[in-house]
Amino acid sequence: MTRRRVSGFTLAWAAWVVFFLVVEGIALARGAKGDTFSEHWWRVWRVRERVPVPLRWLLAGVQLTFGVWLVGHLTFGWWTTE
């Protein structure tokens, strides 16, 4: 059985995930409007605002492209530097 070495990056990413879960959990428990990650995302990308149709399509395209890249990258290892 091969032992895996735990690097500082492994610990840092694990801490980042735990931090995210704690912050999101607190935001959900508070129930205040605008606290969660998704509500911040919607504000940045103007999801709840009335914007011109061309801008709406541009924002949707950017989010869709990012989403496809993220799923492909994390699930299948697409677009890696290795």
Side-chain angles (χ1 to χ4, degrees):
M1 183 174 196
T2 305
R3 289 185 52 148
R4 290 189 177 181
R5 186 176 148 264
V6 176
S7 73
F9 283 104
T10 301
L11 295 174
W13 283 114
W16 183 83
V17 168
V18 169
F19 177 77
F20 171 81
L21 293 174
V22 168
V23 171
E24 188 72 4
I26 292 169
L28 289 169
R30 279 179 39 134
K33 187 175 180 178
D35 286 351
T36 64
F37 176 78
S38 55
E39 290 167 334
H40 277 82
W41 182 271
W42 297 335
R43 189 174 334 132
V44 168
W45 293 101
R46 300 179 178 189
V47 170
R48 303 283 188 220
E49 296 177 27
R50 292 181 53 93
V51 297
V53 173
L55 180 58
R56 168 91 42 206
W57 281 104
L58 176 65
L59 294 172
V62 169
Q63 289 185 74
L64 183 62
T65 301
F66 175 73
V68 168
W69 170 82
L70 185 62
V71 169
H73 180 68
L74 294 177
T75 305
F76 305 111
W78 295 346
W79 303 293
T80 63
T81 57
E82 295 176 7

